[in-house]
Amino acid sequence: MNLDDYRYPKAGKVNLREISTEPETECDKEECMRRLESNILEIVEYQEKLYAAKREGLIIVLQAMDAGGKDSTIKKVTSGINPAGIDIADFKKPNSGDLEHDFLWRVNKMTPVRGKIAIYNRSYYEDVLAVQVHNLHLGFKMMPRVIANPEFFERRQRDIIHFEQYLFDESYRIVKIFLHISKDEQKRRFYERLEDPDKNWKFDPGDLVDRENWDKYQDIYEDIITNTATKNAPWYVIPADKKWYSRFVVSQIILDTLKMMDPQYPILDEEELEKFTMYKRLLDNEK
Ligand code: ATP
Ligand code: MG
């Protein structure tokens, strides 16, 4: 498995219909699951250094069609991480207060402090995705010059690129992951939610409406991924029909990004070290 195969930007437009949702053929399930576990252990170690250094924050954006496996991926890849060092942000439908502001307002509030890892379960990409699929912007309380602008979504995409560059310039790393499932696999997972009593709670009839718009979603995802993948904020399109594979690849992306960030425990200067000697002496001299 080579992460370069999944990373964008690449030359040309993303074509999701031509990208497999299945693991690479030579991939061995047992081996991937074993490597997932060892990646998690390494992520835990890097996260502790990241938290101690507090110089850079890492934002991982997770997007997928419904039942793409976002929640269970988050649960798996964050297992063992010190909860104090991680933020999970769910971006649900915006409430009326959110909608009274610019679309990045609620996003800004979720920016983690440097030293933390934040995982966005859906994100500001919904503001160019779900909003576009359902033409929600036509109902927004905004001036006609904004709503009627034929470049409404192109403009938002540009703002997203700038926003991500801004975060990068402010000492954050951003990685965006699309869990790519097939329409058949989604159907199978919906049946599971309908038939397994323990999964009934996950079924949302609204997901069936979005399923009807499958092709529209795929088209817009292609557009968004092509346009917003940048060197400093890349997209990864991960085959996600097999959860053991997508979780392994996500763990690899997080681990490789942390390795690139190379966080280090802060090193004390001489003056501070001298103080430490004094603190130790104070402790030694305690009665
Ligand atoms: P699952 O994958 O298990 O179905 P989910 O992420 O879909 O989980 P839900 O609570 O079912 O979680 O759905 C959240 C919904 O909110 C999605 O349909 C998404 O498109 C919608 N949403 C999120 N952000 C926005 C936004 N800015 N504008 C419009 N809709 C949004
Ligand atoms: Mg849903």
Side-chain angles (χ1 to χ4, degrees):
M1 192 266 304
N2 183 351
L3 284 185
D4 293 347
D5 296 342
Y6 301 135
R7 187 188 304 113
Y8 294 83
K10 283 191 203 300
K13 195 173 187 307
V14 179
N15 185 342
L16 289 177
R17 278 85 169 175
E18 278 182 9
I19 301 175
S20 177
T21 54
E22 288 290 333
E24 291 167 13
T25 41
E26 72 269 25
C27 208
D28 174 313
K29 183 175 175 182
E30 303 301 315
E31 171 71 5
C32 283
M33 289 174 69
R34 197 190 57 72
R35 286 179 63 190
L36 167 63
E37 296 303 329
S38 89
N39 282 351
I40 289 171
L41 294 178
E42 275 196 83
I43 289 172
V44 169
E45 281 179 29
Y46 274 95
Q47 190 276 332
E48 284 186 7
K49 288 192 200 167
L50 187 79
Y51 192 68
K54 292 195 173 16
R55 287 176 183 274
E56 225 176 2
L58 172 60
I59 297 171
I60 295 151
V61 168
L62 260 191
Q63 287 284 152
M65 295 295 288
D66 286 306
K70 291 180 278 88
D71 297 80
S72 60
T73 299
I74 294 171
K75 183 174 165 193
K76 187 68 202 173
V77 298
T78 61
S79 52
I81 293 187
N82 180 353
I86 193 147
D87 291 340
I88 312 291
D90 285 329
F91 286 89
K92 303 282 186 193
K93 284 191 176 69
N95 62 34
S96 57
D98 295 329
L99 288 172
E100 285 175 20
H101 296 84
D102 59 287
F103 79 100
L104 290 174
W105 179 77
R106 70 168 180 162
V107 183
N108 252 311
K109 291 193 293 183
M110 305 315 284
T111 303
V113 293
R114 295 185 198 94
K116 277 197 174 187
I117 298 177
I119 303 191
Y120 291 177
N121 187 350
R122 299 190 186 271
S123 64
Y124 43 92
Y125 280 96
E126 295 293 331
D127 295 284
V128 283
L129 183 71
V131 175
Q132 188 167 184
V133 168
H134 300 291
N135 276 316
L136 301 176
H137 62 304
L138 300 179
F140 288 169
K141 261 189 161 179
M142 288 176 168
M143 290 307 283
R145 71 175 170 81
V146 180
I147 296 169
N149 183 347
E151 293 198 345
F152 183 89
F153 294 106
E154 284 89 334
R155 193 263 303 158
R156 277 195 170 185
Q157 282 188 17
R158 284 199 297 273
D159 290 338
I160 286 175
I161 293 170
H162 290 149
F163 175 65
E164 291 174 344
Q165 182 61 39
Y166 164 81
L167 289 174
F168 182 78
D169 292 341
E170 286 290 311
S171 212
Y172 289 88
R173 297 269 177 174
I174 302 111
V175 165
K176 297 149 342 184
I177 299 173
F178 176 62
L179 300 176
H180 183 31
I181 56 165
S182 65
K183 203 174 174 186
D184 284 348
E185 180 61 19
Q186 188 193 53
K187 192 174 196 173
R188 203 190 61 73
R189 292 184 191 177
F190 281 171
Y191 273 126
E192 228 171 57
R193 291 178 178 189
L194 286 165
E195 289 164 2
D196 179 346
D198 291 350
K199 293 189 176 171
N200 285 168
W201 65 275
K202 287 194 199 172
F203 184 76
D204 173 4
D207 290 354
L208 294 181
V209 179
D210 274 337
R211 183 173 165 82
E212 281 173 22
N213 286 303
W214 180 275
D215 287 330
K216 214 168 163 186
Y217 267 107
Q218 299 282 306
D219 287 344
I220 297 173
Y221 261 122
E222 286 179 350
D223 201 42
I224 290 172
I225 296 169
T226 307
N227 295 340
T228 63
T230 61
K231 185 171 161 284
N232 293 335
W235 268 105
Y236 290 85
V237 176
I238 307 300
D241 277 1
K242 298 285 180 294
K243 288 186 172 180
W244 56 266
Y245 189 68
S246 50
R247 287 173 195 170
F248 159 57
V249 180
V250 170
S251 73
Q252 196 65 52
I253 294 169
I254 298 174
L255 179 58
D256 282 16
T257 308
L258 285 166
K259 281 186 177 167
M260 184 180 63
M261 293 163 77
D262 194 23
Q264 304 286 339
Y265 286 115
I267 297 171
L268 300 177
D269 60 27
E270 280 198 18
E271 200 182 320
E272 283 166 317
L273 278 173
E274 270 175 32
K275 279 191 200 156
F276 271 42
T277 317
M278 194 239 328
Y279 296 145
K280 267 193 275 178
R281 217 172 295 134
L282 282 175
L283 286 173
D284 291 345
N285 293 340
E286 247 182 13
K287 285 201 188 115

